[in-house]
Amino acid sequence: MLTKVIEQAKIDRFERWMGHAERIVIIAHVAPDGDAIGSSLGLWHFMNSQDKIANVIVPNAFPDFLKWMPGSKDILLYDHYKDFADKLIAEAEIICCLDFNSLSRIEAIANSLKAAKGKKMLIDHHLSPEEFCDITISHPGASSTSELVFRLMCRMGYFGDITKECAECIYTGMMTDTGGFTYNSNNREIYFIIGELLSKGIDKDDIYRKVYNTYSESRLRLMGYILSQMQVYPDYHAALISLTKKEQGHFDYIRGDSEGFVNIPLTIKGVACSCFLREDTEKSTIKVSLRSVGTFPCNQIAAEFFNGGGHLNASGGEFCGTMDEAKRVWECALEKFKPLLNAKG
Ligand code: 5GP
Ligand code: MN
């Protein structure tokens, strides 16, 4: 049995909306990850099972290793189909916002969402959601937004309508947002949910292989190169990896090729915080990814030094400046957080 995490009044209200609505739009965040796509497609399959006309819209492309997911071909990329997407958003009776806590996370879609007349619901697990929806289902304790979508469908009484395809999407989101159930994954109810998803016929081992064992040769060689350049700070229990545009050119880098790299330094004994600095291919900024283990709050570094935020163990931000400057800021952050980092050592 699952704890009733989502407030009943919100579920009741959403059910009332659903009773009257035909056209549903589901929106997830920029550079969608496994949970953004998994939760959106999970909800999309569910809406289809209820004979709704549903569309998933995301700001831009998502990684190839998610393209096997059932329904992924129907996802609308806003940067390619803006006019059509704007029409769908304007005409939607319900708009479900998944896996983001701030309008800035959907970039160019934000204006259309703000102008839309439809009823809006947020389902998310990031801290401190902005108030831009009529219903806000926000549970930072949840492993993933996908878990929350599963809980919502069940609480509405539709477990029976969850198809194998829907279950595959939900599982993928839960798996990717917990690093294959290696962090944020101590709530035993997660494993009850996995049992329920398995009862729908999903092959979790196959899903793991489809998501994680699909490297291209150039990605693996890039990984080898980045790790050979890695900087370890033993006195700070931290490590840094980086990737400049020039280096990207040497390895035929395509978006997503460095997905997950930031986790690798955490496999060094004693390293409690890992940082990955990557020059953006489109903007002249540096994308910052941070990961930590245990109770070290890497989101505080993201917020204080890189204009970002996120979860305790997985956060990120952006830096305007050169790679060398970004490295110096990271080293300042280490100095400031040295006592906390050493407490983890
Ligand atoms: P990633 O390193 O995978 O890009 O991001 C990990 C997590 O950090 C995301 O799920 C999100 O919560 C947070 N995050 C990443 N980039 C940003 C950012 O620029 N701003 C904020 N506020 N959070 C971010
Ligand atoms: Mn998520």
Side-chain angles (χ1 to χ4, degrees):
M1 272 299 285
L2 292 175
T3 312
K4 292 187 170 174
V5 170
I6 304 170
E7 299 88 327
Q8 190 62 45
K10 294 181 181 175
I11 293 172
D12 293 343
R13 197 168 165 210
F14 182 60
E15 271 198 283
R16 282 197 299 277
W17 290 3
M18 283 271 289
H20 301 281
E22 288 223 312
R23 283 161 301 181
I24 319 279
V25 159
I26 299 162
I27 298 173
H29 61 76
V30 67
D33 58 8
D35 189 32
I37 299 296
S39 57
S40 298
L41 287 178
L43 190 61
W44 180 78
H45 284 289
F46 169 67
M47 292 296 178
N48 288 341
S49 76
Q50 305 307 305
D51 295 326
K52 306 292 180 192
I53 303 164
N55 282 282
V56 176
I57 302 171
V58 296
N60 58 3
F62 53 92
D64 281 349
F65 63 77
L66 298 174
K67 291 195 174 147
W68 62 271
M69 291 173 73
S72 67
K73 287 181 187 58
D74 289 308
I75 294 177
L76 266 173
L77 304 183
Y78 192 80
D79 59 357
H80 280 65
Y81 301 101
K82 181 181 184 306
D83 292 346
F84 182 47
D86 278 341
K87 185 170 182 293
L88 290 172
I89 293 169
E91 289 174 354
E93 290 142 282
I94 301 178
I95 302 174
C96 301
C97 299
L98 301 193
D99 203 38
F100 61 95
N101 57 354
S102 150
L103 281 174
S104 64
R105 298 277 294 149
I106 54 169
E107 297 195 342
I109 305 180
N111 285 335
S112 314
L113 180 68
K114 275 190 275 185
K117 299 274 186 297
K119 297 181 169 70
K120 297 165 195 163
M121 172 170 72
L122 175 75
I123 311 177
D124 182 44
H125 68 135
H126 296 93
L127 290 169
S128 319
E130 287 173 2
E131 285 290 325
F132 56 89
C133 286
D134 305 287
I135 300 177
T136 298
I137 295 176
S138 167
H139 294 278
S143 67
S144 53
T145 299
S146 299
E147 173 190 332
L148 292 171
V149 168
F150 179 86
R151 288 177 181 275
L152 177 68
M153 296 185 295
C154 290
R155 288 281 296 288
M156 287 166 64
Y158 290 109
F159 176 74
D161 285 356
I162 295 178
T163 58
K164 179 184 171 192
E165 289 73 26
C166 176
E168 285 174 337
C169 298
I170 296 293
Y171 183 79
T172 303
M174 292 175 64
M175 180 186 78
T176 53
D177 251 25
T178 56
F181 305 103
T182 60
Y183 49 79
N184 270 342
S185 57
N186 281 328
N187 179 355
R188 67 193 177 96
E189 294 193 4
I190 291 173
Y191 303 95
F192 177 83
I193 295 174
I194 295 173
E196 297 290 76
L197 297 172
L198 286 166
S199 79
K200 298 289 180 178
I202 69 165
D203 182 341
K204 64 183 266 305
D205 304 343
D206 187 48
I207 292 176
Y208 184 93
R209 283 192 296 273
K210 281 180 184 150
V211 171
Y212 292 118
N213 297 356
T214 58
Y215 292 171
S216 63
E217 181 185 337
S218 58
R219 175 181 149 111
L220 219 60
R221 294 197 188 281
L222 175 67
M223 185 190 287
Y225 170 78
I226 286 183
L227 294 179
S228 73
Q229 306 292 309
M230 174 178 62
Q231 232 168 313
V232 180
Y233 305 80
D235 294 347
Y236 299 82
H237 303 281
L240 171 73
I241 53 175
S242 63
L243 183 62
T244 62
K245 272 189 206 178
K246 200 170 159 195
E247 291 164 332
Q248 292 168 27
H250 292 155
F251 289 92
D252 300 326
Y253 179 88
I254 52 165
R255 202 188 180 103
D257 268 356
S258 54
E259 179 84 22
F261 284 3
V262 63
N263 296 303
I264 304 174
L266 293 178
T267 61
I268 301 171
K269 190 173 178 187
V271 168
C273 183
S274 164
C275 177
F276 180 28
L277 301 172
R278 176 174 55 80
E279 283 182 0
D280 202 298
T281 36
E282 286 139 38
K283 297 182 275 184
S284 58
T285 55
I286 292 177
K287 170 81 183 94
V288 182
S289 283
L290 290 154
R291 297 291 184 273
S292 63
V293 290
T295 53
F296 181 72
C298 72
N299 54 352
Q300 285 187 23
I301 293 186
E304 283 184 42
F305 290 87
F306 295 112
N307 196 27
H311 312 273
L312 189 82
N313 294 139
S315 63
E318 227 174 32
F319 181 78
C320 295
T322 66
M323 185 60 88
D324 283 343
E325 286 164 353
K327 285 183 181 173
R328 279 198 289 277
V329 168
W330 154 250
E331 282 164 9
C332 283
L334 283 186
E335 205 53 58
K336 171 157 186 196
F337 282 87
K338 191 173 184 184
L340 261 186
L341 282 161
N342 277 328
K344 303 302 135 214

